[in-house]
Amino acid sequence: MPIIRRRSRKLIVAGLAGAAVMGAVGGGTTMYFIQDLKEKQSMERSKYEQRITELEQSQLLHLNTMKTAWVPLKDIPPGHRIEAKDLKEVRLPADAAPANLASLKDEVEGKGAKIGLLKGTPITRSMLFEEAPTPDDLRHREMKAVYLPSNLIKGDVVDIRVQFPTGQDYIVLSKKKIDKLQTPAFWTTLSEQEILLLSSALVDAYLHQATIYALTYVEPELQAKAIPTYPPNEEVAKLIASDPNIVQRAEKQLETAVRRLLEEDLRERNTEQQVQMSEIHVVPALAGTARSPDSWSPASSGGQTTSDRSTGSFPAGGSEEVNEPRVERDVEAEQILGGYGLETSATTAAEGTQDDELIFSAP
């Protein structure tokens, strides 16, 4: 019994010793791996920190070499004056930024756009033009005595020219913007010198049957301002000084001519429309007879032609019953025409007799 106990005790001791040795070996191995892992992590951390430092230095250098730019927050049309609320500051790489980039806000704010600027487009100095300060003698001026292009719209820029019957053609006013348009009248701004030059040209045109007309610029933001070439007439200046009302009479006469031309154009257009509408109402029974729209009027002798009246007969294949649809067509024609010819002649006569009572803008 004691022998068994002694043997058991030895086995237990041996097992404990083995376990202790194995634990020591395992613990040493674990500590070794942990230490090795810590060293590797430390090395990786050092590499990452070094890389981050390099990237930060590169980014800082990159930021220091970037240029400031200004971009519009919305599309800006040509000729528009750029305001502070239209701009946003951005940064561009130096190698990608144009040489003439507008980096200061003062270089952009208050300037005009030569071309259309799209939203987010970096603005360069070549895209802008300097707007001249408003002079003290600048005034709004309404004009009706100028022949205008048919495609003129608000915002266009024009030169006002005068052409004499001899073929001589001069620039009176250059690069004037159409602030408001209501054909045949338009509004623009003139300085005192331009007002006097225009007055001289109006009187010259009145005395010598000249024509004052407007020509539009193709690219007003890119094209330079034309130099006025009209030479003020000394005799006209004396006439204006002796009779200040001569300018108003001259402009009134020219306005009447422009208005008369406009009415003629409208009359021709209305006549063409009336002819097209009247052709729709032709009755098939009378399609073979050659009759003008004027013969549908009640003043066309009851709708009969000269030969019919002389013989007392009706058109071939017709009878007295034809008068009934003819009367209906006369009524339709009168409704379509609406007494246009009578109203036009009355209007023309009224304009001829009451020309002095018409109201026009004073210079």
Side-chain angles (χ1 to χ4, degrees), residues 330-352:
D330 291 341
V331 174
E332 292 178 357
E334 185 175 2
Q335 292 176 351
I336 294 173
L337 297 176
Y340 177 81
L342 297 176
E343 292 179 2
T344 304
S345 60
T347 304
T348 306
E351 289 179 353

PDB file of all heavy atoms in Angstrom, residues 330-352:
ATOM      1  N   ASP A 330     -71.299  87.787-100.411  1.00  0.00           N
ATOM      2  CA  ASP A 330     -71.033  89.210-100.193  1.00  0.00           C
ATOM      3  C   ASP A 330     -71.002  89.525 -98.704  1.00  0.00           C
ATOM      4  O   ASP A 330     -70.153  90.279 -98.219  1.00  0.00           O
ATOM      5  CB  ASP A 330     -72.106  90.054-100.892  1.00  0.00           C
ATOM      6  CG  ASP A 330     -71.978  89.969-102.420  1.00  0.00           C
ATOM      7  OD1 ASP A 330     -70.867  89.570-102.868  1.00  0.00           O
ATOM      8  OD2 ASP A 330     -72.947  90.291-103.107  1.00  0.00           O
ATOM      9  N   VAL A 331     -71.947  88.929 -97.966  1.00  0.00           N
ATOM     10  CA  VAL A 331     -71.994  89.166 -96.524  1.00  0.00           C
ATOM     11  C   VAL A 331     -70.753  88.594 -95.860  1.00  0.00           C
ATOM     12  O   VAL A 331     -70.133  89.218 -94.996  1.00  0.00           O
ATOM     13  CB  VAL A 331     -73.269  88.555 -95.919  1.00  0.00           C
ATOM     14  CG1 VAL A 331     -73.252  88.681 -94.399  1.00  0.00           C
ATOM     15  CG2 VAL A 331     -74.500  89.254 -96.489  1.00  0.00           C
ATOM     16  N   GLU A 332     -70.356  87.374 -96.294  1.00  0.00           N
ATOM     17  CA  GLU A 332     -69.160  86.768 -95.725  1.00  0.00           C
ATOM     18  C   GLU A 332     -67.926  87.602 -96.031  1.00  0.00           C
ATOM     19  O   GLU A 332     -67.065  87.809 -95.164  1.00  0.00           O
ATOM     20  CB  GLU A 332     -68.980  85.355 -96.274  1.00  0.00           C
ATOM     21  CG  GLU A 332     -70.043  84.372 -95.807  1.00  0.00           C
ATOM     22  CD  GLU A 332     -69.846  83.003 -96.427  1.00  0.00           C
ATOM     23  OE1 GLU A 332     -68.930  82.868 -97.253  1.00  0.00           O
ATOM     24  OE2 GLU A 332     -70.605  82.090 -96.079  1.00  0.00           O
ATOM     25  N   ALA A 333     -67.845  88.072 -97.278  1.00  0.00           N
ATOM     26  CA  ALA A 333     -66.672  88.887 -97.646  1.00  0.00           C
ATOM     27  C   ALA A 333     -66.633  90.170 -96.844  1.00  0.00           C
ATOM     28  O   ALA A 333     -65.566  90.615 -96.410  1.00  0.00           O
ATOM     29  CB  ALA A 333     -66.708  89.197 -99.148  1.00  0.00           C
ATOM     30  N   GLU A 334     -67.799  90.767 -96.624  1.00  0.00           N
ATOM     31  CA  GLU A 334     -67.829  92.000 -95.847  1.00  0.00           C
ATOM     32  C   GLU A 334     -67.421  91.741 -94.402  1.00  0.00           C
ATOM     33  O   GLU A 334     -66.725  92.553 -93.785  1.00  0.00           O
ATOM     34  CB  GLU A 334     -69.236  92.585 -95.890  1.00  0.00           C
ATOM     35  CG  GLU A 334     -69.323  93.969 -95.196  1.00  0.00           C
ATOM     36  CD  GLU A 334     -70.684  94.591 -95.357  1.00  0.00           C
ATOM     37  OE1 GLU A 334     -71.553  93.951 -95.956  1.00  0.00           O
ATOM     38  OE2 GLU A 334     -70.874  95.718 -94.874  1.00  0.00           O
ATOM     39  N   GLN A 335     -67.809  90.549 -93.863  1.00  0.00           N
ATOM     40  CA  GLN A 335     -67.401  90.217 -92.497  1.00  0.00           C
ATOM     41  C   GLN A 335     -65.911  89.967 -92.411  1.00  0.00           C
ATOM     42  O   GLN A 335     -65.254  90.333 -91.438  1.00  0.00           O
ATOM     43  CB  GLN A 335     -68.164  88.977 -92.011  1.00  0.00           C
ATOM     44  CG  GLN A 335     -69.652  89.216 -91.823  1.00  0.00           C
ATOM     45  CD  GLN A 335     -70.377  87.945 -91.448  1.00  0.00           C
ATOM     46  OE1 GLN A 335     -69.811  86.858 -91.495  1.00  0.00           O
ATOM     47  NE2 GLN A 335     -71.650  88.081 -91.090  1.00  0.00           N
ATOM     48  N   ILE A 336     -65.357  89.337 -93.469  1.00  0.00           N
ATOM     49  CA  ILE A 336     -63.919  89.057 -93.462  1.00  0.00           C
ATOM     50  C   ILE A 336     -63.123  90.344 -93.589  1.00  0.00           C
ATOM     51  O   ILE A 336     -62.190  90.615 -92.843  1.00  0.00           O
ATOM     52  CB  ILE A 336     -63.564  88.088 -94.607  1.00  0.00           C
ATOM     53  CG1 ILE A 336     -64.205  86.722 -94.343  1.00  0.00           C
ATOM     54  CG2 ILE A 336     -62.050  87.944 -94.745  1.00  0.00           C
ATOM     55  CD1 ILE A 336     -64.052  85.762 -95.495  1.00  0.00           C
ATOM     56  N   LEU A 337     -63.518  91.176 -94.580  1.00  0.00           N
ATOM     57  CA  LEU A 337     -62.795  92.435 -94.789  1.00  0.00           C
ATOM     58  C   LEU A 337     -63.054  93.404 -93.662  1.00  0.00           C
ATOM     59  O   LEU A 337     -62.172  94.178 -93.287  1.00  0.00           O
ATOM     60  CB  LEU A 337     -63.208  93.055 -96.129  1.00  0.00           C
ATOM     61  CG  LEU A 337     -62.867  92.219 -97.385  1.00  0.00           C
ATOM     62  CD1 LEU A 337     -63.401  92.889 -98.619  1.00  0.00           C
ATOM     63  CD2 LEU A 337     -61.366  92.020 -97.495  1.00  0.00           C
ATOM     64  N   GLY A 338     -64.272  93.380 -93.103  1.00  0.00           N
ATOM     65  CA  GLY A 338     -64.585  94.240 -91.953  1.00  0.00           C
ATOM     66  C   GLY A 338     -64.494  95.713 -92.277  1.00  0.00           C
ATOM     67  O   GLY A 338     -64.158  96.526 -91.435  1.00  0.00           O
ATOM     68  N   GLY A 339     -64.779  96.089 -93.535  1.00  0.00           N
ATOM     69  CA  GLY A 339     -64.691  97.505 -93.875  1.00  0.00           C
ATOM     70  C   GLY A 339     -63.280  98.039 -93.779  1.00  0.00           C
ATOM     71  O   GLY A 339     -63.071  99.195 -93.480  1.00  0.00           O
ATOM     72  N   TYR A 340     -62.273  97.158 -94.045  1.00  0.00           N
ATOM     73  CA  TYR A 340     -60.863  97.540 -93.829  1.00  0.00           C
ATOM     74  C   TYR A 340     -60.460  98.709 -94.715  1.00  0.00           C
ATOM     75  O   TYR A 340     -59.798  99.633 -94.299  1.00  0.00           O
ATOM     76  CB  TYR A 340     -59.959  96.334 -94.104  1.00  0.00           C
ATOM     77  CG  TYR A 340     -58.498  96.632 -93.982  1.00  0.00           C
ATOM     78  CD1 TYR A 340     -57.912  96.657 -92.729  1.00  0.00           C
ATOM     79  CD2 TYR A 340     -57.729  96.915 -95.105  1.00  0.00           C
ATOM     80  CE1 TYR A 340     -56.576  96.949 -92.598  1.00  0.00           C
ATOM     81  CE2 TYR A 340     -56.389  97.204 -94.969  1.00  0.00           C
ATOM     82  CZ  TYR A 340     -55.811  97.211 -93.734  1.00  0.00           C
ATOM     83  OH  TYR A 340     -54.488  97.502 -93.602  1.00  0.00           O
ATOM     84  N   GLY A 341     -60.897  98.647 -96.012  1.00  0.00           N
ATOM     85  CA  GLY A 341     -60.495  99.701 -96.935  1.00  0.00           C
ATOM     86  C   GLY A 341     -61.017 101.053 -96.523  1.00  0.00           C
ATOM     87  O   GLY A 341     -60.335 102.061 -96.602  1.00  0.00           O
ATOM     88  N   LEU A 342     -62.301 101.081 -96.029  1.00  0.00           N
ATOM     89  CA  LEU A 342     -62.876 102.361 -95.614  1.00  0.00           C
ATOM     90  C   LEU A 342     -62.172 102.894 -94.393  1.00  0.00           C
ATOM     91  O   LEU A 342     -61.849 104.076 -94.295  1.00  0.00           O
ATOM     92  CB  LEU A 342     -64.383 102.174 -95.349  1.00  0.00           C
ATOM     93  CG  LEU A 342     -65.233 101.750 -96.568  1.00  0.00           C
ATOM     94  CD1 LEU A 342     -66.669 101.512 -96.130  1.00  0.00           C
ATOM     95  CD2 LEU A 342     -65.139 102.792 -97.684  1.00  0.00           C
ATOM     96  N   GLU A 343     -61.903 101.980 -93.411  1.00  0.00           N
ATOM     97  CA  GLU A 343     -61.227 102.428 -92.178  1.00  0.00           C
ATOM     98  C   GLU A 343     -59.819 102.902 -92.479  1.00  0.00           C
ATOM     99  O   GLU A 343     -59.345 103.884 -91.921  1.00  0.00           O
ATOM    100  CB  GLU A 343     -61.206 101.287 -91.165  1.00  0.00           C
ATOM    101  CG  GLU A 343     -62.558 100.934 -90.642  1.00  0.00           C
ATOM    102  CD  GLU A 343     -62.476  99.779 -89.662  1.00  0.00           C
ATOM    103  OE1 GLU A 343     -61.360  99.326 -89.414  1.00  0.00           O
ATOM    104  OE2 GLU A 343     -63.543  99.362 -89.163  1.00  0.00           O
ATOM    105  N   THR A 344     -59.136 102.212 -93.400  1.00  0.00           N
ATOM    106  CA  THR A 344     -57.754 102.604 -93.727  1.00  0.00           C
ATOM    107  C   THR A 344     -57.715 103.961 -94.388  1.00  0.00           C
ATOM    108  O   THR A 344     -56.898 104.816 -94.068  1.00  0.00           O
ATOM    109  CB  THR A 344     -57.130 101.553 -94.648  1.00  0.00           C
ATOM    110  OG1 THR A 344     -57.206 100.282 -94.018  1.00  0.00           O
ATOM    111  CG2 THR A 344     -55.683 101.903 -94.954  1.00  0.00           C
ATOM    112  N   SER A 345     -58.654 104.191 -95.362  1.00  0.00           N
ATOM    113  CA  SER A 345     -58.672 105.484 -96.022  1.00  0.00           C
ATOM    114  C   SER A 345     -59.030 106.587 -95.044  1.00  0.00           C
ATOM    115  O   SER A 345     -58.478 107.683 -95.080  1.00  0.00           O
ATOM    116  CB  SER A 345     -59.672 105.445 -97.186  1.00  0.00           C
ATOM    117  OG  SER A 345     -60.972 105.151 -96.684  1.00  0.00           O
ATOM    118  N   ALA A 346     -59.976 106.278 -94.129  1.00  0.00           N
ATOM    119  CA  ALA A 346     -60.339 107.289 -93.138  1.00  0.00           C
ATOM    120  C   ALA A 346     -59.186 107.585 -92.218  1.00  0.00           C
ATOM    121  O   ALA A 346     -58.926 108.734 -91.870  1.00  0.00           O
ATOM    122  CB  ALA A 346     -61.561 106.811 -92.340  1.00  0.00           C
ATOM    123  N   THR A 347     -58.477 106.525 -91.843  1.00  0.00           N
ATOM    124  CA  THR A 347     -57.309 106.724 -90.962  1.00  0.00           C
ATOM    125  C   THR A 347     -56.243 107.535 -91.662  1.00  0.00           C
ATOM    126  O   THR A 347     -55.642 108.432 -91.094  1.00  0.00           O
ATOM    127  CB  THR A 347     -56.748 105.367 -90.540  1.00  0.00           C
ATOM    128  OG1 THR A 347     -57.777 104.613 -89.915  1.00  0.00           O
ATOM    129  CG2 THR A 347     -55.578 105.540 -89.586  1.00  0.00           C
ATOM    130  N   THR A 348     -55.992 107.226 -92.955  1.00  0.00           N
ATOM    131  CA  THR A 348     -54.976 107.962 -93.709  1.00  0.00           C
ATOM    132  C   THR A 348     -55.361 109.422 -93.845  1.00  0.00           C
ATOM    133  O   THR A 348     -54.542 110.332 -93.705  1.00  0.00           O
ATOM    134  CB  THR A 348     -54.803 107.324 -95.091  1.00  0.00           C
ATOM    135  OG1 THR A 348     -54.526 105.938 -94.930  1.00  0.00           O
ATOM    136  CG2 THR A 348     -53.674 107.999 -95.860  1.00  0.00           C
ATOM    137  N   ALA A 349     -56.656 109.682 -94.126  1.00  0.00           N
ATOM    138  CA  ALA A 349     -57.102 111.064 -94.253  1.00  0.00           C
ATOM    139  C   ALA A 349     -56.978 111.802 -92.941  1.00  0.00           C
ATOM    140  O   ALA A 349     -56.581 112.969 -92.893  1.00  0.00           O
ATOM    141  CB  ALA A 349     -58.560 111.089 -94.737  1.00  0.00           C
ATOM    142  N   ALA A 350     -57.314 111.101 -91.846  1.00  0.00           N
ATOM    143  CA  ALA A 350     -57.208 111.737 -90.528  1.00  0.00           C
ATOM    144  C   ALA A 350     -55.766 112.059 -90.213  1.00  0.00           C
ATOM    145  O   ALA A 350     -55.463 113.098 -89.641  1.00  0.00           O
ATOM    146  CB  ALA A 350     -57.808 110.829 -89.467  1.00  0.00           C
ATOM    147  N   GLU A 351     -54.847 111.162 -90.596  1.00  0.00           N
ATOM    148  CA  GLU A 351     -53.436 111.434 -90.344  1.00  0.00           C
ATOM    149  C   GLU A 351     -52.952 112.606 -91.184  1.00  0.00           C
ATOM    150  O   GLU A 351     -52.108 113.377 -90.759  1.00  0.00           O
ATOM    151  CB  GLU A 351     -52.610 110.186 -90.654  1.00  0.00           C
ATOM    152  CG  GLU A 351     -52.803 109.066 -89.671  1.00  0.00           C
ATOM    153  CD  GLU A 351     -51.987 107.848 -90.045  1.00  0.00           C
ATOM    154  OE1 GLU A 351     -51.395 107.886 -91.136  1.00  0.00           O
ATOM    155  OE2 GLU A 351     -51.971 106.916 -89.248  1.00  0.00           O
ATOM    156  N   GLY A 352     -53.514 112.747 -92.426  1.00  0.00           N
ATOM    157  CA  GLY A 352     -53.081 113.849 -93.271  1.00  0.00           C
ATOM    158  C   GLY A 352     -53.568 115.187 -92.770  1.00  0.00           C
ATOM    159  O   GLY A 352     -52.876 116.195 -92.872  1.00  0.00           O
TER     160      GLY A 352
END
